[in-house]
Amino acid sequence: MTERRMLMCREFPVMTFEFFPYGGYALYPTEIIDQKRLPLGMYVNGRPEPDGESITAWWRSRGIPATRDGLRSAIGTGMRPPADLLDRSLGLSLSDQYWVRPVDRDDLKWEDLNFFHHDFDERIGRALFTGGSSQVGDVNTPDITSAGDLPKRWIIQPDGTRTLIKGGRTGQEPDNERIAGLVCDLFGMDHVDYHVGILQDRRVCACNEMLTDREELIPGGQIMKIFRNGTPREGRAIWEDACERLGVPRAASRRATDDFLFLDFLLRNTDRHYNNFGIIRDVETLRARPAPIFDTGMCLWNGLDPVVISNDDYAAKPFRLDDGGDRPNAYWQLSLIREWDHYDLGLLDSVPDIVHDQLALNRRIPSDIVSLICSTLRKRAELIRKARDRSVIPSPSARRGMDEFRSLLDSRTRDLESSAGPAMNAARRHGGR
């Protein structure tokens, strides 16, 4: 038996659709009420024209991923399956303003339910974090809609601040997040601020909610799904075009992209996938801006054997040289930085000390490994300086490659209006006010 559901964005009705609760999938949309507020993850062929498949994919992506550490043991001790938890929780989140209710439940109000202003139950999050038992029937928690594989949970601080607690697999990830923030501060990059502590007997990092109560985080993966139209080598150009079409000023997206490319090479981050960066949009004005840098835990040779800690090239994300993303491309990604003048490379000499001081606090990491990481970083600083110099005074072959890349960006900018569909033009007008 199917049910009619209403997709809401805060207090705004967006769309009704037919839903099969026992299978956990949507059959088809029945009415689109507010097209400009449709989630980008529901777009089909680049247009705001959702079907049952795209609605289902978006809905299921809100739930706890099956790959989440600790999920299997938590479910095995009595917790309901993720799909059931998601349905019962109305899909409420601290990452955006969307939620879903039955069409006949007008009594359910955003102002009475949202997690930005109302308390939530922390017991399910505690069970997921440790893989322990949970016999809790209440699903009033944003932990039902938290993404990612690493153990994490939301808590409410005494002053009301919503804080995300995140663990790791090797024990180094929390320190890496703290280091990334300190390095961002050093170079003047916008970032989420992480702190390291101990919770439930494990080393964790904590960050406060990055959104206001009227903003949504749109992951790069949802955006690129709409606008991905080119070769892997064109990834950066496609990304900047997509941001501009969604109302992000070109200069802002260019600076933000330069920043994470610079940081990721410096700290050897291997996991800047398309859901580890994105844009933040105000759901009322539709103005958009780049998201601050977050999720840099998989850096500094995390979890690798000491014999492979080196400055050799490696497969990095998000921009690729090939379809599979298997070719070493980290040095190539570094060459995509466009505005080197933003970075005082004299500050690079301070980075190994920042890394040493933080990693030395983690007793799980041997001191000789910390020393090896820092000595490798010192050599890495010189590699970055050389990359900058080649960019400023390029060889003829490098200059041709840079000219081709810039020509690609310029041509995509010229084609922006003609290639954008009516809905995208509307999104740009609303987002650029």
Side-chain angles (χ1 to χ4, degrees):
M1 182 176 180
T2 64
E3 299 178 4
R4 188 72 56 86
R5 299 290 175 88
M6 173 75 77
L7 171 66
M8 304 287 294
C9 181
R10 286 178 61 89
E11 68 273 18
F12 305 109
V14 178
M15 176 186 69
T16 59
F17 61 95
E18 204 71 22
F19 186 73
F20 186 62
Y22 296 105
Y25 59 84
L27 298 176
Y28 49 84
T30 52
E31 181 185 8
I32 295 177
I33 301 166
D34 190 347
Q35 189 180 67
K36 67 180 180 295
R37 288 193 172 86
L38 279 170
L40 294 186
M42 289 187 183
Y43 280 42
V44 175
N45 297 323
R47 301 185 63 82
E49 299 171 353
D51 55 19
E53 183 178 352
S54 68
I55 298 170
T56 299
W58 175 85
W59 175 244
R60 291 180 175 176
S61 72
R62 297 180 73 73
I64 306 166
T67 50
R68 168 72 61 80
D69 289 357
L71 176 61
R72 184 180 298 275
S73 56
I75 289 177
T77 56
M79 184 179 288
R80 303 292 291 271
D84 180 58
L85 292 172
L86 178 64
D87 193 33
R88 293 169 56 210
S89 73
L90 306 180
L92 288 159
S93 173
L94 279 171
S95 295
D96 61 30
Q97 313 292 313
Y98 290 107
W99 58 295
V100 173
R101 63 168 176 81
V103 292
D104 58 353
R105 291 297 305 276
D106 291 339
D107 58 306
L108 298 177
K109 304 291 185 182
W110 170 260
E111 58 266 28
D112 299 329
L113 299 170
N114 75 85
F115 296 134
F116 291 90
H117 296 137
H118 296 282
D119 291 348
F120 49 81
D121 196 307
E122 298 183 15
R123 289 174 290 178
I124 286 181
R126 187 180 303 116
L128 286 169
F129 194 77
T130 61
S133 176
S134 173
Q135 303 296 329
V136 182
D138 190 357
V139 293
N140 178 44
T141 170
D143 293 307
I144 301 301
T145 50
S146 60
D149 293 344
L150 294 180
K152 62 185 64 174
R153 57 175 293 206
W154 285 99
I155 65 171
I156 302 177
Q157 302 276 21
D159 65 355
T161 301
R162 275 59 177 158
T163 298
L164 182 65
I165 308 294
K166 186 166 61 173
R169 289 174 175 166
T170 70
Q172 184 180 327
E173 294 95 338
D175 295 282
N176 289 348
E177 296 283 17
R178 176 64 177 163
I179 289 166
L182 294 172
V183 173
C184 284
D185 284 337
L186 185 68
F187 287 95
M189 302 175 184
D190 188 22
H191 69 95
V192 172
D193 195 22
Y194 292 88
H195 295 275
V196 177
I198 303 294
L199 181 68
Q200 295 173 241
D201 300 324
R202 72 165 65 191
R203 196 169 185 84
V204 300
C205 61
C207 65
N208 293 338
E209 169 66 80
M210 74 169 83
L211 305 177
T212 71
D213 63 353
R214 50 185 275 176
E215 291 181 326
E216 61 174 329
L217 171 66
I218 308 177
Q222 290 188 17
I223 296 169
M224 293 296 280
K225 180 181 177 182
I226 301 173
F227 298 105
R228 184 176 285 128
N229 183 23
T231 68
R233 289 175 178 264
E234 298 173 295
R236 170 160 187 168
I238 297 169
W239 168 246
E240 289 187 2
D241 284 351
C243 289
E244 189 167 31
R245 295 183 192 191
L246 293 170
V248 179
R250 191 82 177 198
S253 66
R254 180 178 299 172
R255 173 64 191 271
T257 306
D258 276 355
D259 282 353
F260 74 67
L261 289 176
F262 181 90
L263 179 75
D264 288 349
F265 184 87
L266 172 58
L267 298 184
R268 199 187 182 277
N269 182 29
T270 60
D271 199 36
R272 185 68 63 197
H273 57 73
Y274 278 107
N275 287 330
N276 274 354
F277 65 100
I279 67 173
I280 292 176
R281 184 168 67 174
D282 186 305
V283 300
E284 296 194 5
T285 67
L286 298 185
R287 291 174 180 160
R289 58 185 171 88
I293 291 174
F294 62 96
D295 277 0
T296 315
M298 288 300 295
C299 67
L300 295 172
W301 300 271
N302 180 52
L304 296 184
D305 191 285
V307 300
V308 297
I309 295 179
S310 73
N311 285 314
D312 293 345
D313 203 1
Y314 58 96
K317 302 171 185 176
F319 308 129
R320 308 191 307 269
L321 288 168
D322 61 314
D323 288 330
D326 299 322
R327 288 178 57 186
N329 66 322
Y331 283 85
W332 173 77
Q333 278 202 154
L334 184 65
S335 74
L336 299 182
I337 292 177
R338 303 196 68 192
E339 301 291 342
W340 282 98
D341 290 345
H342 290 307
Y343 311 112
D344 179 358
L345 299 193
L347 298 173
L348 289 170
D349 295 330
S350 301
V351 174
D353 291 335
I354 292 174
V355 172
H356 179 275
D357 290 348
Q358 183 62 45
L359 292 185
L361 299 174
N362 189 335
R363 295 185 178 181
R364 296 183 61 177
I365 306 176
S367 58
D368 58 333
I369 301 300
V370 175
S371 297
L372 178 58
I373 290 173
C374 292
S375 63
T376 309
L377 277 176
R378 290 188 182 92
K379 298 173 184 176
R380 202 168 189 81
E382 187 57 32
L383 295 173
I384 292 175
R385 292 187 179 99
K386 289 179 179 179
R388 186 275 313 271
D389 293 343
R390 285 194 298 271
S391 176
V392 174
I393 309 175
S395 65
S397 60
R399 188 183 299 115
R400 284 194 297 273
M402 291 168 58
D403 289 344
E404 291 174 2
F405 177 70
R406 288 169 179 160
S407 176
L408 173 65
L409 287 175
D410 292 341
S411 66
R412 287 186 176 276
T413 301
R414 289 194 300 270
D415 294 341
L416 184 59
E417 294 295 341
S418 61
S419 61
M424 290 298 94
N425 284 327
R428 185 181 178 188
R429 285 195 301 272
H430 283 284
R433 290 185 297 185

